[in-house]
Amino acid sequence: MGRKAVSFITLGCAKNEVDTQHMRNRVLQAGYAVVDDPTAAHAIVINTCSFIQDATEESLAAVFEAAGYPNVAKGDAKIVVTGCMPARYGEELAEELVEAACFVPCSKEDDIAAVLGECIGAADAGPVAADAFDYSYVPTAGPFSAYVKISDGCNRFCSYCTIPFIRGRYRSFPFEDIDAEVRAAVDAGVREIILIAQDTGNWGTDFALPSSLAWLMDALASAYPETWFRVMYVQPEGITDELLQVMAAHVNICHYLDIPLQHVNPGILRAMNRRGSRAEFDALAARIRAAVPDITLRTTLIAGFPGETDEQFQQLCDFVEECDFDYVGVFAYSREEGTKAYDLPGQLDEAEKRDRAQTVRDLADAVCTARCAERIGTTAQVLVEGFEEDGQLYGRAQFQAPEVDGSFYVDAGQPGEVITAAVVDSLFYELEGERRG
């Protein structure tokens, strides 16, 4: 008898992609087959995002679409909803979303094989090796890059954010687990590891014998000298001198930092339950560049937060026009039930929030694409990723994070190879280069 098949659909960010990868491996270890086509599966696992209302609506739409698949409609397959949505809405979701047979919140995803056993029965095949870790499925960083989660949860309780309620309190993953996952990826041909979490800079501080992100990156970069390491989502407080020293000391650590600032006005930041100011962030950028002169800096900002005055919004715009950041992501504030910001006075209407976000986004594009153009005439290390449909060879430089910072087109190289290329032209966030050597 053939094995029962499971298909995964993943919504949301890279952290959800990693969670899907881990559930996928647990399912394989339990003896189930994993198939790409959900209409050929006995169970469709939908790993949901519910960080903001738009994400919740997208997740619900995915469930409703799956309910219409012929195998589900005929009763031959079950829908299993995992991740953020059941974590956020709990029993209320189970009562309302009758299309799903089972619900697995983030905290219970390790039990996915047992849940499937109850939902669709045993796999009809013996389990495989308990330590198997299949990297034929790599999260969406790219064919030669893999996301590795180093922690989960968050202790910050920013007033606009649902993550602590969805993911729970901050907990670092042990180095041995992280190292094993990195080793599996490297052995499978991955050339770049992107370390992610809700708050990467806090890694190790909750251990009985406290450690640090700097120690983690130093250990990994030393153990895998031919592999690039990139860290994302480091809060301003996590940018320590020790971390900067480690980054400067290793050529295989991407000189790149993604630092979510969210705003620059002290009053808005306090209302967000965050710290900082324009002056502090300018000083932070200067300190980083003094320690790692060739570093690339990225940030994210929120426009239209409750109570944001015209003057405070203009301060945000001025910062974007004058800041020392290479890439800037901009989001309109999303009012989320259950957060402190939901009940704050001065809520802006949706049109105003969208307009403010678009204004900041346009300013950011003007500034950041000009900074991209300033790279013309310089050289960079480029990880070649593959070919476009028209045959154009493309990759990413160390100063380009996957999915958000554009591509680097080159004239020569093989996928999976790291080459030196000179930047000869730019178009918006895309760069064109010629191989050197």
Side-chain angles (χ1 to χ4, degrees):
M1 183 181 294
R3 291 186 293 168
K4 288 184 178 176
V6 181
S7 183
F8 288 88
I9 297 172
T10 305
L11 290 305
C13 67
K15 294 180 283 293
N16 266 18
E17 293 283 354
V18 175
D19 291 343
T20 291
Q21 178 178 302
H22 283 269
M23 286 192 288
R24 183 182 189 276
N25 281 294
R26 288 185 174 87
V27 165
L28 288 169
Q29 290 163 11
Y32 294 94
V34 174
V35 297
D36 292 332
D37 182 5
T39 66
H42 297 90
I44 302 169
V45 179
I46 303 177
N47 192 9
T48 60
C49 179
S50 194
F51 177 59
I52 59 175
Q53 188 59 37
D54 286 350
T56 299
E57 292 173 1
E58 182 182 9
S59 295
L60 288 170
V63 174
F64 298 145
E65 180 179 357
Y69 293 155
N71 52 336
V72 177
K74 290 191 298 182
D76 296 334
K78 300 290 182 63
I79 297 173
V80 180
V81 176
T82 70
C84 295
M85 198 161 65
R88 182 174 181 182
Y89 295 106
E91 293 182 2
E92 176 187 352
L93 182 70
E95 293 172 0
E96 297 293 333
L97 196 61
V98 297
E99 290 80 2
C102 300
F103 297 86
V104 184
C106 306
S107 61
K108 300 295 184 181
E109 287 177 348
D110 287 355
D111 302 328
I112 184 64
V115 172
L116 288 173
E118 296 177 1
C119 189
I120 62 171
D124 293 333
V128 299
D131 61 351
F133 200 91
D134 177 20
Y135 251 91
S136 62
Y137 169 82
V138 175
T140 57
F144 300 100
S145 302
Y147 291 111
V148 173
K149 254 174 88 169
I150 64 173
S151 68
D152 205 357
C154 186
N155 292 343
R156 292 184 177 275
F157 289 92
C158 297
S159 66
Y160 53 82
C161 185
T162 59
I163 289 298
F165 310 105
I166 293 172
R167 294 279 176 176
R169 302 303 291 266
Y170 191 90
R171 54 202 181 279
S172 301
F173 297 161
F175 171 75
E176 292 76 15
D177 292 352
I178 297 169
D179 181 58
E181 193 163 331
V182 170
R183 168 60 65 187
V186 171
D187 288 347
V190 166
R191 299 297 308 274
E192 176 189 29
I193 300 293
I194 302 106
L195 303 179
I196 58 172
Q198 278 75 30
D199 186 356
T200 49
N202 212 21
W203 184 85
T205 59
D206 56 332
F207 290 157
L209 293 175
S211 188
S212 68
L213 177 63
W215 182 91
L216 174 65
M217 297 200 71
D218 183 54
L220 292 173
S222 299
Y224 308 94
E226 302 302 316
T227 303
W228 286 5
F229 287 90
R230 184 186 306 276
V231 61
M232 305 292 286
Y233 318 126
V234 187
Q235 297 292 338
E237 299 86 351
I239 311 297
T240 63
D241 290 342
E242 182 189 12
L243 176 62
L244 297 175
Q245 290 166 7
V246 167
M247 296 184 74
H250 290 278
V251 296
N252 61 323
I253 294 180
C254 296
H255 289 181
Y256 181 105
L257 280 171
D258 172 49
I259 313 167
L261 299 181
Q262 312 304 11
H263 212 281
V264 297
N265 176 268
I268 292 294
L269 287 166
R270 283 193 297 272
M272 290 179 169
N273 197 31
R274 296 177 64 86
R275 291 180 289 173
S277 67
R278 166 71 187 269
E280 291 179 54
F281 296 152
D282 286 343
L284 173 63
R287 179 167 67 88
I288 295 170
R289 292 195 185 278
V292 190
D294 64 340
I295 200 160
T296 296
L297 299 179
R298 178 180 182 84
T299 191
T300 51
L301 302 169
I302 295 174
F305 192 78
E308 183 184 64
T309 65
D310 291 344
E311 180 181 1
Q312 290 166 333
F313 174 64
Q314 187 59 50
Q315 290 173 6
L316 190 64
C317 293
D318 291 345
F319 173 75
V320 170
E321 287 190 291
E322 301 162 4
C323 72
D324 198 12
F325 281 76
D326 301 277
Y327 299 103
V328 178
V330 184
F331 300 91
Y333 165 72
S334 179
R335 190 182 185 191
E336 299 298 319
E337 288 189 49
T339 63
K340 289 186 177 179
Y342 185 86
D343 294 317
L344 287 178
Q347 300 283 339
L348 280 66
D349 64 43
E350 294 300 320
E352 177 66 19
K353 290 188 291 186
R354 287 195 300 269
D355 288 347
R356 290 192 179 195
Q358 191 60 55
T359 296
V360 181
R361 196 172 293 121
D362 291 343
L363 290 171
D365 286 342
V367 171
C368 297
T369 56
R371 292 183 77 110
C372 283
E374 291 174 1
R375 296 188 184 275
I376 295 173
T378 65
T379 59
Q381 295 295 296
V382 177
L383 172 59
V384 182
E385 295 187 298
F387 295 89
E388 298 279 18
E389 290 183 1
D390 61 1
Q392 177 67 59
L393 192 63
Y394 72 94
R396 282 182 297 105
Q398 281 200 351
F399 54 74
Q400 293 172 310
E403 303 183 275
V404 292
D405 295 336
S407 297
F408 196 122
Y409 294 91
V410 292
D411 60 342
Q414 295 297 319
E417 184 181 11
V418 175
I419 67 170
T420 299
V423 183
V424 299
D425 201 2
S426 70
L427 177 62
F428 207 50
Y429 289 105
E430 313 297 328
L431 296 175
E432 183 178 342
E434 296 176 353
R435 183 169 186 169
R436 294 289 185 262

